[in-house]
Amino acid sequence: MKPQRLLFLASGRGSNFQAIARAVKEKRIPHAQIVGLISNRKEAGAVSIAKELGVPTHTLEKSAFRGSDGKWDRAAFEITLEKTIESYQPDWICLAGYMLLLGERIVERWEGKILNIHPSLLPKFKGLHAQKQALEAGERVTGCTVHLVTQEMDEGQIVEQASLEILSSDTDESLSARLLTLEHETYIRALIRLTGS
Ligand code: GRF
């Protein structure tokens, strides 16, 4: 069976990418290979991790796409992003802390093949600071979700979910740290299933 080509899009720390890369290396996702990582921030931790692992990286910063009015030329950015994605010929596009919304063309072109991980039990607590949102809502249980990406933020078919008890002593930091470990396991489990391993 031909290994499925995973392409990552990340903007930050890169812990999900790192955990998945380790799992791929250890053949825990036996039918997958990582073909590249694209970031919109060249100083992102994810980029350094990818370089250390010998994973090809590509950086596309918003600041390089300014229109004549000085504003971000989103259309030009998206066209270049789409071409860059195509150049990696991915089977799956894995968003892992990618902080920009993908444009309509890319979402349509790769429909059903773009995954995202979100630190809540979707459809609850979409958007930023989902861990804090769960704490502030007084939830007793939260979790994380791997889902297919659609045009709407944190929507799309749920692929894998895992839940976690919120402790009365939890702070945003302690809860986020426990959730992050769960995110890594959950994303790996989703990929094992989706790549047919
Ligand atoms: C994770 O909490 C993920 O759920 C969210 O962004 C964060 C990325 O963390 N979408 P990392 O860069 O993978 O460490």
Side-chain angles (χ1 to χ4, degrees):
M1 190 177 179
K2 216 166 117 230
Q4 303 263 301
R5 298 168 65 83
L6 311 183
L7 173 65
F8 283 80
L9 266 63
S11 308
R13 180 175 55 187
S15 74
N16 276 283
F17 166 69
Q18 187 170 36
I20 294 164
R22 185 174 301 140
V24 168
K25 189 164 178 237
E26 293 170 356
K27 305 268 184 243
R28 283 186 282 132
I29 315 177
H31 298 122
Q33 62 169 311
I34 297 179
V35 294
L37 179 133
I38 300 174
S39 181
N40 63 310
R41 288 182 53 234
K42 63 175 182 298
E43 73 279 13
V47 173
S48 316
I49 294 166
K51 285 184 173 162
E52 274 167 33
L53 295 172
V55 169
T57 61
H58 195 103
T59 305
L60 284 180
E61 297 216 306
K62 276 166 82 170
S63 55
F65 296 85
R66 295 245 181 265
S68 46
D69 56 0
K71 290 192 185 145
W72 178 35
D73 184 345
R74 182 162 187 205
F77 178 91
E78 285 291 322
I79 288 169
T80 306
L81 178 59
E82 188 180 350
K83 283 189 187 146
T84 310
I85 291 173
E86 290 284 357
S87 74
Y88 286 99
Q89 297 192 293
D91 294 302
W92 296 96
I93 299 168
C94 305
L95 308 189
Y98 183 65
M99 299 307 284
L100 299 177
L101 284 177
L102 288 175
E104 200 175 340
R105 274 179 59 115
I106 293 177
V107 172
E108 272 176 17
R109 161 71 181 87
W110 298 98
E111 195 188 347
K113 293 291 177 185
I114 311 176
L115 301 167
N116 183 41
I117 177 105
H118 183 76
S120 78
L121 290 173
L122 289 174
K124 281 188 168 179
F125 312 122
K126 294 171 187 170
L128 290 175
H129 312 300
Q131 304 92 330
K132 196 165 175 221
Q133 290 185 52
L135 269 179
E136 288 178 354
E139 296 285 315
R140 308 284 292 272
V141 173
T142 187
C144 61
T145 306
V146 176
H147 64 96
L148 294 177
V149 171
T150 60
Q151 209 54 66
E152 308 305 321
M153 186 174 60
D154 300 328
E155 295 277 350
Q157 190 187 315
I158 292 170
V159 172
E160 199 85 39
Q161 268 187 327
S163 55
L164 182 76
E165 192 187 343
I166 299 183
L167 308 174
S168 54
S169 58
D170 261 329
T171 60
D172 186 14
E173 289 70 32
S174 65
L175 179 61
S176 299
R178 286 209 314 293
L179 261 179
L180 196 59
T181 308
L182 191 67
E183 287 185 35
H184 300 165
E185 293 163 6
T186 309
Y187 216 158
I188 290 167
R189 203 163 60 242
L191 286 168
I192 290 172
R193 190 150 61 75
L194 293 172
T195 56
S197 315

